[in-house]
Amino acid sequence: MTEAPRAIHPRPRTVHELLFAPDTRGVLIAASRDPDAKMTFIVTPAPGLFPGGPAGPIAVKIPATPLAAAAIRHETEMLIDLRDAGLGGLGETVPRYVETLDSDGLPALVSTALRGKPMSVAYHHWLHTARARLVAVDFALAGGWLRRFQTATSGERARIRWAEEVADQLRQRWTGHPQLDSALIRLTSADHQLGDQRVCRTMVHGDYWFGNLLVDDGVITGVVDWEGGERSGWPLRDLVRFAVSYCLYLDRHTRPGHRVLRHRGLRRTGFGAGIRYGLLGQGWLSDLVRSYLRDGLTALGLPAGLWYSAALVGLGEVAALANDDGFGSDHLELLATLPLWPTEGKE
């Protein structure tokens, strides 16, 4: 009996074959030392290297650890799902999957490179976050793109179990932490408010902070880094993540103990002072944060008054999922010390 011939699968191209091909040019734009550390290159490939593929630059994300490789595999799946999601014109703001390369036995992701600069570049310009008009534009851009994306990917309605899920994640990660019980009390309070509501599940970015939003000529031209994405999840995740991450770094350029310029009542005092100020403070920034959250909830068909409960759960999610233990623990401790109910305008 003759053995049936085996199917022959072509060997994946290697990262070296791409990066060191003649006439290929590239630049390293990001590298990290996290447990899931990766290097990201923007590459202009040599002519003919991708026949029928992208005509312009590509992004190449290379894992440094097996944990990073798992994140890249997940992002690859997300980009393929996004390609098939029927996003219309919004699809131009999402990287398109091109190819998977071999990097010493680990997968490297090749996707289209999108034009624009990260919103974080302008954020850290001198006095950017001290100017109400500029900050309002950032929130409007982020909120506008997110509403379009959530509308385009809206699915079945479900009772919100987000707070319950985050509480379980915190118990698993932070067993024995002295602030865990206090943090869980806040999540239980939030669950009492959110758990009776229903919302349409949507695709979720998972790390919707201003560093992952590309801006050019006053519009969002790209949303990148979909490693934490979810095909069907709670849309409140992305809504809250942008707000709390934006507030977190308000005091980054202020000396410890000093007042943050043009934010009355905000000083650089320990971790999360900006978040506490954004949620509970008095001033134009706090008003803007609360309006952004309320408007986002209303767009999802939820009561605007749930904004604070959603914010508490969003902080808990960062504590549960952060790559860095110190960063996660800091968020856990911040959550544990926030009031159960908002005290807007009171210091």
Side-chain angles (χ1 to χ4, degrees), residues 220-274:
I220 288 185
T221 54
V223 178
V224 298
D225 288 340
W226 291 81
E227 297 169 12
E230 197 173 357
R231 297 170 185 82
S232 176
W234 305 117
L236 287 75
R237 293 182 57 197
D238 288 340
L239 177 71
V240 173
R241 181 63 64 90
F242 180 82
V244 298
S245 63
Y246 200 98
C247 293
L248 176 60
Y249 300 102
L250 290 174
D251 60 0
R252 174 56 62 87
H253 304 292
T254 302
R255 287 182 295 170
H258 285 245
R259 293 179 178 178
V260 179
L261 191 62
R262 298 186 185 176
H263 292 293
R264 181 171 172 262
L266 175 59
R267 291 177 179 269
R268 185 173 182 179
T269 53
F271 179 86

Side-chain angles (χ1 to χ4, degrees), residues 5 107 145 149 213 218-219 243 248 267 289 292 312 329:
W145 187 93
F149 178 70
L213 309 186
V219 298
L248 176 60
R267 291 177 179 269
V289 169
Y292 161 84
L312 292 179
S329 179

Side-chain angles (χ1 to χ4, degrees), residues 14 27 106 135 144 169 204-205 207 215 221 223 226 234 296 302 334:
T14 69
V27 59
L106 300 177
V135 174
Q169 292 167 338
V204 173
H205 181 277
D207 193 16
V215 180
T221 54
V223 178
W226 291 81
W234 305 117
L302 294 169
L334 174 62

Side-chain angles (χ1 to χ4, degrees), residues 95-117:
R96 181 165 59 85
Y97 171 73
V98 175
E99 185 177 354
T100 297
L101 302 176
D102 175 74
S103 177
D104 296 326
L106 300 177
L109 171 62
V110 181
S111 64
T112 53
L114 303 177
R115 65 184 176 90
K117 294 181 180 179

Side-chain angles (χ1 to χ4, degrees), residues 6-324:
R6 296 180 180 179
I8 299 176
H9 298 283
R11 175 181 62 86
R13 288 195 285 189
T14 69
V15 166
H16 291 82
E17 288 173 330
L18 170 64
L19 296 184
F20 295 103
D23 299 323
T24 290
R25 302 188 306 276
V27 59
L28 176 68
I29 63 167
S32 67
R33 297 180 180 178
D34 296 330
D36 61 345
K38 295 167 286 288
M39 295 181 292
T40 302
F41 292 84
I42 298 298
V43 176
T44 301
L49 201 57
F50 289 95
I58 56 175
V60 184
K61 188 175 288 189
I62 303 171
T65 67
L67 189 61
I72 284 179
R73 291 188 187 96
H74 183 75
E75 182 171 14
T76 299
E77 294 171 357
M78 277 300 302
L79 293 187
I80 293 172
D81 287 340
L82 286 162
R83 180 194 63 192
D84 300 334
L87 297 179
L90 202 63
E92 297 177 1
T93 64
V94 174
R96 181 165 59 85
Y97 171 73
V98 175
E99 185 177 354
T100 297
L101 302 176
D102 175 74
S103 177
D104 296 326
L106 300 177
L109 171 62
V110 181
S111 64
T112 53
L114 303 177
R115 65 184 176 90
K117 294 181 180 179
M119 188 181 285
S120 54
V121 173
Y123 180 98
H124 289 295
H125 279 175
W126 176 243
L127 294 182
H128 180 90
T129 56
R131 296 187 172 104
R133 181 183 61 82
L134 298 181
V135 174
V137 169
D138 290 345
F139 274 86
L141 288 176
W145 187 93
L146 190 57
R147 282 191 291 275
R148 291 175 61 199
F149 178 70
Q150 290 172 344
T151 298
T153 63
S154 180
E156 63 179 11
R157 293 180 64 82
R159 195 171 300 280
I160 300 176
R161 293 288 179 248
W162 185 34
E164 182 181 310
E165 293 169 4
V166 170
D168 288 341
Q169 292 167 338
L170 286 182
R171 292 187 188 95
Q172 292 174 14
R173 179 169 186 175
W174 296 111
T175 300
H177 192 289
Q179 296 282 18
L180 176 60
D181 288 343
S182 295
L184 292 175
I185 289 172
R186 272 79 183 159
L187 293 183
T188 299
S189 174
D191 188 48
H192 287 160
Q193 301 298 312
L194 295 169
D196 290 334
Q197 302 293 326
R198 301 178 70 86
V199 71
C200 290
R201 293 174 68 90
T202 67
M203 296 186 84
V204 173
H205 181 277
D207 193 16
Y208 193 71
W209 76 291
F210 56 88
N212 285 334
L213 309 186
L214 306 183
V215 180
D216 185 47
D217 198 23
V219 298
I220 288 185
T221 54
V223 178
V224 298
D225 288 340
W226 291 81
E227 297 169 12
E230 197 173 357
R231 297 170 185 82
S232 176
W234 305 117
L236 287 75
R237 293 182 57 197
D238 288 340
L239 177 71
V240 173
R241 181 63 64 90
F242 180 82
V244 298
S245 63
Y246 200 98
C247 293
L248 176 60
Y249 300 102
L250 290 174
D251 60 0
R252 174 56 62 87
H253 304 292
T254 302
R255 287 182 295 170
H258 285 245
R259 293 179 178 178
V260 179
L261 191 62
R262 298 186 185 176
H263 292 293
R264 181 171 172 262
L266 175 59
R267 291 177 179 269
R268 185 173 182 179
T269 53
F271 179 86
I275 294 176
R276 187 183 297 272
Y277 173 76
L279 297 178
L280 303 170
Q282 185 176 22
W284 62 265
L285 186 282
S286 302
D287 291 343
L288 180 59
V289 169
R290 295 188 285 258
S291 293
Y292 161 84
L293 292 173
R294 288 179 179 125
D295 291 346
L297 289 167
T298 300
L300 292 168
L302 294 169
L306 297 177
W307 69 270
Y308 186 71
S309 295
L312 292 179
V313 184
L315 288 173
E317 182 177 84
V318 177
L321 302 180
N323 292 335
D324 181 79

